[in-house]
Amino acid sequence: MNILVLGGGGREHAIVWALARSPRTDNLYVAPGNGGTEGIARNVSGLDVEDGRAVLAFAEEHGIDLVVVGPEAPLVAGVADVLRAAGVAVFGPDAQGAQLEGSKTFSKEFMEAHGIPTARYASFTELEPALAYVRELGAPIVVKADGLAAGKGVVVAEDVEDAEEALRDCFDGAFGQAGSTVVVEECLTGPECSLLAFVSGGKAHCMATAQDHKRAFDGDRGPNTGGMGVYSPVPIVTPDELASMHEIMEKAAAATAEEFDCDYRGVLYGGFMLTPEGPKVLEFNARFGDPETQVVLPRLETDLVDIMMAVAEGRPGDIDLRWSEQWAVCVVLASEGYPGSYEKGKVILGIDEAEQIEGVTVFHAGTAKNFDDELVTAGGRVLNVVALGDSFDEAREKAYEACDLINFEGKQYRSDIGKRAAAGRDAWSA
């Protein structure tokens, strides 16, 4: 099979890595890809991945049998719609389904209509009513830009003043059009947990649990980021909570078949809060998580091409998921200054040495090659250092051992990925 993957981050490197392991994969393309994908696929530069017609033209010219859409923006832009209409198998929902991520208001209304447990909320298109609502409810409270904001349009405000500032940022254009509508939510309490599912034909096939670390610095301090580290499975989730999350994902998948014009075919990402009243959905995303994918796919023992084709062709009965019992831990190596401004072009050394450690794989997120063919930094999140181990502690130790072997100027990372979960559920009530 000839396969095209759209995207260029760590998530896409992990997807390409998993697809490349399949005996069904012949020619593998990734647009635009990065410094890590070029070793296992053909990087495609200059293709506008949000232009459905351009992607279709490439697919027809290269005899593509399957297109895998990695990021959310091409999904919201309707790339999958164009490809499906032309008869190309595509892994990823159409534009209507992608609104579950593209609009938080749409997503909340979807949850409310289908009895999916979530936080109480209100949606606003003007500043003054939003300010009045925040002052009425008080803090802590959550302010979310309605549209796509690269995972950074959410502020958990500990006091009313911070919430008011977040609202003004949104309405003053800090997130562009994404902030023209704002959702204000009650602040739920408890640990967070991600549960992704392959969805097709209104059926959800849930993946392994994962837990991301969104804050920039140790101790969950600092600004929100796209994710600084993650692990799978999540040891603090109880059997009852896991069963409840599975039930919620199955209910959501069934609701897509009831409500949407076209079959939802792709990943549905459930971001959960494990509240005292049970799991509640913080958000839905319409694609693989980043960096959750980097720990989930290495634990997947089923052929990913088989799964994606079954999803893309609407054959949910043919999806069979098998998981390794090993633990996976991912530590993100970032550029100095991330998630704020940072410099690019710093030479990266030590990846080969890191990958000599058994069970370690380094997925590239923001890398490129310079004119001297050296690997250099090209983004805020630079590398995802992933380690598999027979225990949580072993996976964590291997990941950090590998991080120490990789070097570039300004390297920054959290030193406490998984530490809280290793201490048990009580660590969230301390």
Side-chain angles (χ1 to χ4, degrees):
M1 290 180 58
N2 298 328
I3 302 173
L4 169 64
V5 177
L6 303 184
R11 166 184 50 216
E12 286 75 35
H13 188 182
I15 291 170
V16 167
W17 172 85
L19 293 171
R21 300 171 74 187
S22 171
R24 297 185 65 185
T25 300
D26 186 8
N27 294 303
L28 186 54
Y29 303 87
V30 55
N34 59 40
T37 58
E38 72 174 14
I40 52 176
R42 302 183 196 182
N43 284 358
V44 179
S45 60
L47 177 62
D48 183 353
V49 299
E50 296 182 35
D51 183 342
R53 293 294 172 190
V55 175
L56 176 60
F58 182 93
E60 292 176 337
E61 181 180 349
H62 294 83
I64 298 299
D65 300 295
L66 172 67
V67 176
V68 179
V69 185
E72 57 274 19
L75 294 170
V76 172
V79 169
D81 305 58
V82 176
L83 294 168
R84 280 204 185 92
V88 178
V90 56
F91 182 90
D94 66 358
Q96 185 185 27
Q99 281 297 98
L100 285 173
E101 178 169 5
S103 168
K104 292 181 176 62
T105 301
F106 178 94
S107 185
K108 296 293 279 192
E109 290 172 349
F110 173 88
M111 289 185 247
E112 195 171 52
H114 296 282
I116 294 169
T118 188
R120 290 182 294 119
Y121 78 100
S123 181
F124 301 93
T125 56
E126 295 180 354
L127 175 60
E128 290 305 322
L131 290 172
Y133 185 76
V134 164
R135 290 162 187 160
E136 178 186 345
L137 262 64
I141 197 165
V142 182
V143 177
K144 297 181 176 180
D146 179 78
L148 300 179
K152 299 166 192 167
V154 177
V155 173
V156 180
E158 298 298 333
D159 54 52
V160 170
E161 290 74 18
D162 287 346
E164 291 176 350
E165 182 180 356
L167 287 170
R168 290 190 175 93
D169 285 344
C170 285
F171 286 115
D172 286 345
F175 302 105
Q177 188 62 29
S180 60
T181 299
V182 177
V183 172
V184 181
E185 293 182 351
E186 68 170 322
C187 187
L188 301 177
T189 59
E192 292 188 32
C193 180
S194 301
L195 182 64
L196 285 65
F198 294 106
V199 174
S200 187
K203 304 295 184 183
H205 295 263
C206 292
M207 303 183 212
T209 56
Q211 191 172 59
D212 189 12
H213 296 62
K214 300 293 288 185
R215 298 284 187 164
F217 308 126
D218 284 7
D220 290 325
R221 299 192 310 273
N224 270 342
T225 70
M228 293 300 293
V230 62
Y231 51 82
S232 176
V234 183
I236 61 169
V237 175
T238 68
D240 285 347
E241 286 172 331
L242 183 60
S244 178
M245 287 192 290
H246 275 242
E247 183 181 335
I248 290 168
M249 294 302 291
E250 289 160 5
K251 179 185 286 189
T256 66
E258 295 172 15
E259 185 164 320
F260 298 161
D261 299 329
C262 297
D263 188 18
Y264 188 107
R265 299 180 181 180
V267 169
L268 183 62
Y269 168 130
F272 286 88
M273 182 76 84
L274 306 179
T275 78
E277 297 82 36
K280 295 185 180 182
V281 177
L282 294 172
E283 63 179 0
F284 281 128
N285 293 326
R287 39 71 191 177
F288 275 108
D290 189 351
E292 289 93 343
T293 308
Q294 290 86 304
V295 289
V296 170
L297 290 187
R299 297 187 58 231
L300 178 65
E301 295 182 339
T302 317
D303 188 312
L304 185 60
V305 174
D306 288 343
I307 297 170
M308 287 186 162
M309 284 303 294
V311 170
E313 294 177 347
R315 297 182 282 109
D318 293 337
I319 299 172
D320 174 31
L321 303 184
R322 297 185 304 277
W323 301 97
S324 164
E325 293 186 0
Q326 285 192 301
W327 296 76
V329 173
C330 168
V331 179
V332 174
L333 302 184
S335 296
E336 184 177 14
Y338 176 78
S341 60
Y342 52 84
E343 296 181 357
K344 300 179 182 180
K346 308 299 183 183
V347 175
I348 303 168
L349 301 171
I351 292 177
D352 289 343
E353 290 80 1
E355 291 191 320
Q356 292 300 310
I357 300 171
E358 183 180 359
V360 169
T361 304
V362 179
F363 294 121
H364 296 225
T367 68
K369 292 291 185 72
N370 65 14
F371 288 115
D372 296 321
D373 203 38
E374 296 171 309
L375 187 71
V376 297
T377 64
R381 291 187 294 174
V382 179
L383 298 169
N384 306 145
V385 181
V386 179
L388 293 172
D390 292 332
S391 69
F392 197 8
D393 287 341
E394 181 186 7
R396 291 186 70 244
E397 289 167 6
K398 284 183 177 181
Y400 280 108
E401 180 184 353
C403 288
D404 288 341
L405 294 172
I406 299 171
N407 289 291
F408 55 87
E409 184 183 337
K411 177 183 75 172
Q412 69 172 36
Y413 61 96
R414 284 184 57 162
S415 65
D416 63 347
I417 301 301
K419 183 177 180 181
R420 196 177 187 184
R425 187 67 171 259
D426 289 345
W428 270 264
S429 57

